[in-house]
Amino acid sequence: MEDPAAPGAGSASTNGNGNGGGKGKQTAPKGREAFRSQRRESEGSVDCPTLEFEYGDADGHAAELSELYSYTENLEFTTNRRCFEEDFKTQVQGKEWLELEEDAQKAYVMGLLDRLEVVSRERRLKVARAVLYLAQGTFGECDSEVDVLHWSRYNCFLLYQMGTFSAFLELLHMEIDNSQACSSALRKPAISIADSTELRVLLSVMYLLVENIRLERETDSCRWRTARETFRTELSFSMHNEEPFALLLFSMVTKFCSGLAPHFPIKKVLLLLWKVVMFTLGGFEHLQVLKVQKRAELGLPPLAEDSIQVVKSMRAASPPSYTLDLGESQLAPPPSKLRGRRGSRRQLLTKQDSLDIYNERDLFKTEEPATEEEEESAGDGERTLDGELDLLEQDPLVPPPPSQAPLSAERVAFPKGLPWAPKVRDTDTLVGLPRPIHESVKTLKQHKYISIADVQIKNEEDLEKCPMSLGEEVVPETPCEILYQGMLYSLPQYMIALLKILLAAAPTSKAKTDSINILADVLPEEMPITVLQSMKLGIDVNRHKEIIVKSISALLLLLLKHFKLNHIYQFEYVSQHLVFANCIPLILKFFNQNILSYITAKNSISVLDYPCCTIQDLPELTTESLEAGDNNQFCWRNLFSCINLLRLLNKLTKWKHSRTMMLVVFKSAPILKRALKVKQAMLQLYVLKLLKIQTKYLGRQWRKSNMKTMSAIYQKVRHRMNDDWAYGNDIDARPWDFQAEECTLRANIEAFNSRRYDKPQDSEFSPVDNCLQSVLGQRLDLPEDFHYSYELWLEREVFSQPICWEELLQNH
């Protein structure tokens, strides 16, 4: 097929109305204007304002609590209140909860927990709802949202100190093992919110306890601080010979994905799992503290910077002009006519605010002449991603090797004042170089960056080579180490289950009859009968999916970062199973949409959000009440999810040649470039990082046509001093062998797991004490009367027994 953007193709091209080439010149402006209008309608305005977004562990406290509940559950707030008031009146006369002294409150909670231990399932549910009402802040006695949040936190500390979490953990075990509920759900043609009532109540109480106690404030009392540390320890370690709590939640995720428990409220499970991991292992700030401590323990120089803090000081850049598609490439003048105009704009590359100033005066210049990536990204590229994602349960994917052999790019003058401290990894090859270069490299080595992972890999190699002389490794029993040990043998199933749910929640996924149903805890018993009810449910479903994407993306990122710090091969084990389960094409498929529309989506109804819905009477359902959302310029959770997924993709592909080539094969460059429309510095940075690692494989023509993006990479991404990312030199020197690279890594991972976690009792490498003095000097427990008969024992057992040396040698 002839490239419509190639020189000479214009004579045969058609205009926007499909007419022949004879009238093309006269109708080109109209066709161009129609194309732009159509694109604006389909994708929204490209002029995105700079988004004032601050990245962190989670959203605000109220927002994180509100996302626990779907709008379909709002009627249950009243049910919880009624269950509490009915029980409270039988125990306390003439007073309300907030009027009681603390001792009286504790006594009432103790009575509630006692009443939980009843046989009747219905009575037990009512008592659990009463506890949930307390955890929700006894909103019936409050006048404002601030009061509700305050008393929710107070009550949660009180409930925890009285042993509520342990009691609800026992009930959760019972509900997970409830075969009757599972079989009942499996028989139903359509599962609704009613099938998960007990589980939703239990998980809601546990989530409120974790989220409220996890939150640290300067005004917290010493008693609350002690309770927080006790709770963290309780969740982190195996208590009473049970597994850590996170593993129980992981098992719920896999049971749900296997189809054995379709009634599980998976959104609540994932939110609770994410918050438990964050609480027990620590968030991003705690990770930075741990990293500093670890480098000090290994004798490495301190970190030069905190990446997240550096990004906060960076400015977002204007997105490129997206005149790339087939419609405009037909209207663009031939490249030969534009070539002479390049020199006059070279000085524009020094402007930091723009990713697309190279062609900004030439509105109709195509950015990627003679390339097919943009034209195919919505067609063949999408089909490729869909095809790969169908393999989530099949063998590890092995994409075909690329055929492009890019050449070097032309030199460009770049600005000074880069945000990152440069790093270098390779300073070993100096053969044949003159003495001044040796002196330069000596200076360079003084600033060489050695990562924790480099030290860990070197230690692992030494332990594999010298298992006896180095002795047994001492592994600290940290929460991260305990979690990895518990996840180890079921980790592939955990990763596949999380990616299955992520795929089902992605807005680009097409509905399939065999896909898992993630809407069991949002669909009402009676489906809507009016247009307004359908609109409300549609918003609720979209919000439900967004929250699932947010929790999974944050959970996977936290796990990877903590495992990488704990040991590099733990990180590589998780990463490899994510790659084998097609995580890379899944994330690219997620971004193969209008990301700007996704980030600015308004799938929320503010008057129905907790705690607002508990203070005000629920408004009458009207179009105005449904559209009365917040006035924010973007959706926090969706922007948070996008950044998490980009960071996740960076972690999977960084320093992995074969996985970088997968980005090229799956045509990720045009997909990622479209995400640069979002003017947010952190999101743009991780997009540019992903583009940087593959630029040398995209060909000279791509680099030549995307000099704005190349300039932005230079300005915003950290530099490796001997990295030739911009030129594509010697790319044929490393053949692309996906299986060999991954198999070598897998062998190292298996050796690590086997050495550290598979310890047989009678190993041939078990140390033997062969020192005569040591053996004879050991104290043995002998019978009290042994010294009376030891001479007889010696005569019978030693002196009178002949020694058969041949048999001795054969046996040993």
Side-chain angles (χ1 to χ4, degrees):
M1 179 178 175
E2 186 181 8
D3 188 345
S11 60
S13 63
T14 60
N15 57 35
N17 299 320
N19 297 326
K23 298 181 182 179
K25 290 186 178 180
Q26 298 175 4
T27 59
K30 292 182 180 179
R32 184 181 299 116
E33 205 54 48
F35 174 82
R36 284 185 173 164
S37 175
Q38 182 181 2
R39 185 169 187 121
R40 276 196 299 270
E41 291 174 2
S42 62
E43 293 196 356
S45 174
V46 175
D47 299 329
C48 170
T50 301
L51 304 182
E52 299 298 328
F53 171 81
E54 185 170 345
Y55 186 78
D57 291 322
D59 203 349
H61 185 55
E64 292 296 332
L65 294 182
S66 71
E67 290 179 353
L68 175 65
Y69 312 102
S70 63
Y71 297 146
T72 313
E73 290 180 272
N74 277 10
L75 293 176
E76 296 187 12
F77 284 110
T78 306
T79 307
N80 300 338
R81 178 179 178 180
R82 186 178 66 250
C83 290
F84 171 81
E85 290 177 346
E86 289 175 357
D87 185 89
F88 191 72
K89 287 177 182 177
T90 63
Q91 306 297 321
V92 181
Q93 303 295 328
K95 284 191 176 182
E96 291 187 338
W97 170 258
L98 299 186
E99 297 173 353
L100 293 181
E101 297 292 332
E102 184 176 348
D103 291 340
Q105 290 176 338
K106 289 181 177 180
Y108 174 72
V109 171
M110 284 296 294
L112 270 181
L113 297 182
D114 288 339
R115 290 188 288 281
L116 269 180
E117 301 177 1
V118 293
V119 178
S120 171
R121 188 179 177 85
E122 184 179 349
R123 288 178 59 192
R124 197 165 60 232
L125 177 60
K126 285 186 176 181
V127 176
R129 283 191 179 280
V131 176
L132 177 56
Y133 175 73
L134 285 174
Q136 288 171 339
T138 51
F139 48 81
E141 303 174 34
C142 296
D143 298 323
S144 66
E145 297 176 28
V146 175
D147 287 346
V148 174
L149 295 175
H150 167 78
W151 287 110
S152 173
R153 195 156 181 264
Y154 171 87
N155 291 343
C156 282
F157 272 99
L158 181 69
L159 289 169
Y160 170 70
Q161 290 166 352
M162 302 309 296
T164 305
F165 189 86
S166 300
F168 272 67
L169 183 58
E170 292 181 11
L171 294 176
L172 183 61
H173 277 289
M174 290 171 54
E175 286 300 323
I176 292 172
D177 298 333
N178 188 348
S179 57
Q180 183 180 354
C182 293
S183 59
S184 174
L186 287 170
R187 287 194 302 268
K188 288 189 175 183
I191 302 174
S192 70
I193 199 169
D195 297 295
S196 59
T197 302
E198 289 83 0
L199 278 169
R200 285 187 294 106
V201 171
L202 298 176
L203 291 169
S204 294
V205 170
M206 300 173 98
Y207 179 87
L208 289 170
L209 289 174
V210 170
E211 184 62 14
N212 277 301
I213 295 175
R214 182 187 69 84
L215 180 66
E216 297 184 22
R217 287 187 174 151
E218 294 181 358
T219 55
D220 290 347
S221 64
C222 292
R223 189 175 58 174
W224 280 16
R225 295 176 193 273
T226 304
R228 180 182 299 116
E229 293 308 314
T230 306
F231 194 24
R232 180 184 284 118
T233 304
E234 183 181 337
L235 293 173
S236 302
F237 299 96
S238 303
M239 308 295 287
H240 311 297
N241 296 322
E242 292 183 356
E243 59 189 6
F245 183 55
L247 292 179
L248 176 65
L249 298 175
F250 268 118
S251 69
M252 291 184 71
V253 173
T254 52
K255 194 173 181 181
F256 171 81
C257 284
S258 65
L260 298 175
H263 66 297
F264 280 4
I266 196 61
K267 185 192 82 172
K268 285 182 167 56
V269 174
L270 291 169
L271 280 173
L272 181 55
L273 176 57
W274 166 39
K275 293 303 174 63
V276 167
V277 169
M278 187 195 303
F279 184 31
T280 55
L281 303 189
F284 297 129
E285 290 185 5
H286 185 64
L287 264 166
Q288 191 69 12
V289 173
L290 291 177
K291 196 171 183 180
V292 170
Q293 292 176 353
K294 193 107 176 181
R295 290 185 67 86
E297 291 171 6
L298 297 174
L300 298 174
L303 289 169
E305 65 227 348
D306 180 353
S307 298
I308 293 180
Q309 296 304 319
V310 173
V311 176
K312 285 181 180 179
S313 64
M314 294 173 65
R315 289 187 296 172
S318 300
S321 62
Y322 286 82
T323 59
L324 312 174
D325 289 358
L326 184 59
E328 289 218 11
S329 61
Q330 289 176 329
L331 302 171
S336 58
K337 294 184 180 180
L338 299 171
R339 210 168 280 143
R341 303 166 67 180
R342 183 180 301 149
S344 62
R345 294 203 191 91
R346 183 166 300 193
Q347 66 274 18
L348 291 175
L349 285 171
T350 59
K351 184 179 177 183
Q352 187 181 356
D353 275 2
S354 179
L355 299 184
D356 190 26
I357 47 185
Y358 190 76
N359 289 333
E360 69 181 359
R361 293 182 188 172
D362 193 348
L363 298 178
F364 308 125
K365 180 183 182 297
T366 181
E367 188 172 356
E368 293 189 356
T371 60
E372 299 178 358
E373 289 175 339
E374 292 288 347
E375 299 161 22
E376 295 178 353
S377 64
D380 295 342
E382 187 173 354
R383 286 194 295 273
T384 302
L385 293 176
D386 285 338
E388 295 298 342
L389 291 176
D390 288 338
L391 302 175
L392 259 179
E393 300 179 37
Q394 299 180 16
D395 295 334
L397 66 98
V398 183
S403 57
Q404 263 190 331
L407 303 174
S408 60
E410 61 184 18
R411 295 181 181 177
V412 184
F414 292 104
K416 297 179 181 179
L418 303 174
W420 302 97
K423 290 180 180 178
V424 64
R425 286 169 67 91
D426 181 18
T427 58
D428 297 329
T429 53
L430 301 175
V431 178
L433 296 177
R435 184 176 182 81
I437 293 184
H438 283 257
E439 294 294 330
S440 302
V441 171
K442 181 181 177 182
T443 305
L444 191 65
K445 283 186 175 181
Q446 295 175 0
H447 302 280
K448 181 179 179 181
Y449 175 75
I450 301 174
S451 67
I452 295 172
D454 295 334
V455 177
Q456 291 172 338
I457 291 173
K458 179 66 170 60
N459 290 342
E460 194 61 28
E461 291 174 354
D462 294 342
L463 285 167
E464 284 293 324
K465 291 177 183 175
C466 313
M468 298 184 68
S469 59
L470 292 178
E472 189 174 356
E473 181 187 17
V474 178
V475 182
E477 290 289 310
T478 62
C480 186
E481 180 65 28
I482 290 172
L483 180 62
Y484 181 79
Q485 290 179 24
M487 293 177 64
L488 181 60
Y489 297 106
S490 300
L491 195 140
Q493 289 84 354
Y494 296 155
M495 296 303 109
I496 289 174
L498 289 174
L499 293 184
K500 273 187 174 182
I501 300 171
L502 183 60
L503 177 61
T508 53
S509 295
K510 299 177 178 63
K512 296 181 180 179
T513 55
D514 59 341
S515 63
I516 53 176
N517 177 19
I518 59 171
L519 304 178
D521 51 335
V522 71
L523 296 177
E525 287 186 87
E526 298 179 0
M527 294 306 289
I529 56 176
T530 67
V531 174
L532 286 174
Q533 288 174 344
S534 299
M535 289 174 60
K536 176 190 169 187
L537 182 58
I539 293 172
D540 205 2
V541 166
N542 290 336
R543 174 177 177 267
H544 181 82
K545 291 182 176 180
E546 290 172 0
I547 295 169
I548 287 177
V549 173
K550 170 187 172 182
S551 56
I552 293 178
S553 64
L555 170 64
L556 288 175
L557 182 61
L558 268 181
L559 286 175
L560 284 181
K561 289 185 74 67
H562 275 285
F563 285 151
K564 186 175 183 181
L565 187 59
N566 199 50
H567 199 287
I568 183 62
Y569 283 136
Q570 294 177 350
F571 161 81
E572 296 292 4
Y573 187 53
V574 179
S575 298
Q576 195 164 66
H577 280 293
L578 286 172
V579 172
F580 288 168
N582 290 309
C583 186
I584 291 176
L586 193 159
I587 295 176
L588 292 177
K589 180 178 176 62
F590 180 91
F591 279 93
N592 197 20
Q593 60 168 316
N594 186 351
I595 287 295
L596 189 56
S597 294
Y598 182 74
I599 284 173
T600 55
K602 301 290 185 181
N603 288 313
S604 61
I605 307 171
S606 56
V607 291
L608 299 183
D609 283 334
Y610 172 89
C612 178
C613 65
T614 62
I615 294 298
Q616 304 176 6
D617 294 332
L618 294 180
E620 184 181 352
L621 205 62
T622 62
T623 307
E624 289 75 19
S625 63
L626 291 179
E627 294 177 351
D630 54 44
N631 296 320
N632 295 330
Q633 59 181 167
F634 59 91
C635 175
W636 196 96
R637 65 173 166 265
N638 288 356
L639 185 48
F640 178 70
S641 300
C642 289
I643 293 175
N644 288 340
L645 290 173
L646 288 169
R647 297 184 74 187
L648 189 60
L649 196 53
N650 267 284
K651 289 219 165 288
L652 295 180
T653 54
K654 191 176 182 181
W655 308 119
K656 301 290 189 303
H657 177 63
S658 59
R659 298 178 192 174
T660 301
M661 296 309 299
M662 289 169 66
L663 293 177
V664 179
V665 170
F666 291 135
K667 302 181 186 299
S668 67
I671 295 173
L672 293 169
K673 274 191 62 184
R674 282 197 293 272
L676 292 173
K677 288 181 180 180
V678 181
K679 289 186 68 175
Q680 204 285 321
M682 195 167 196
L683 183 139
Q684 288 183 346
L685 172 68
Y686 287 103
V687 169
L688 293 172
K689 282 186 174 214
L690 288 165
L691 288 171
K692 177 187 174 182
I693 62 176
Q694 55 178 313
T695 48
K696 64 165 69 176
Y697 308 108
L698 295 175
R700 182 177 182 274
Q701 185 62 54
W702 188 93
R703 296 194 297 274
K704 182 179 175 183
S705 304
N706 291 272
M707 291 309 296
K708 294 82 51 196
T709 305
M710 299 287 285
S711 175
I713 292 171
Y714 186 89
Q715 295 170 30
K716 297 183 179 297
V717 181
R718 187 196 305 279
H719 291 277
R720 308 281 168 173
M721 291 184 179
N722 48 1
D723 184 9
D724 60 347
W725 64 273
Y727 303 103
N729 298 330
D730 297 329
I731 64 160
D732 292 328
R734 295 181 62 192
W736 183 40
D737 190 343
F738 175 86
Q739 287 184 324
E741 190 171 342
E742 294 293 342
C743 285
T744 302
L745 178 60
R746 190 169 197 168
N748 292 336
I749 295 168
E750 289 178 351
F752 163 78
N753 285 334
S754 176
R755 180 188 62 77
R756 187 181 275 197
Y757 305 112
D758 298 338
K759 296 180 179 177
Q761 295 296 322
D762 298 323
S763 171
E764 60 177 317
F765 294 116
S766 298
V768 177
D769 190 353
N770 54 11
C771 176
L772 185 62
Q773 290 182 338
S774 174
V775 172
L776 294 178
Q778 291 180 2
R779 295 187 62 85
L780 298 176
D781 293 330
L782 300 171
E784 293 182 0
D785 58 346
F786 181 77
H787 64 283
Y788 295 114
S789 58
Y790 79 94
E791 292 181 350
L792 181 61
W793 179 85
L794 282 174
E795 184 65 33
R796 186 179 68 243
E797 299 293 337
V798 180
F799 301 142
S800 62
Q801 293 289 337
I803 299 175
C804 184
W805 297 105
E806 290 80 3
E807 185 179 349
L808 186 66
L809 290 173
Q810 289 172 3
N811 292 337
H812 295 277

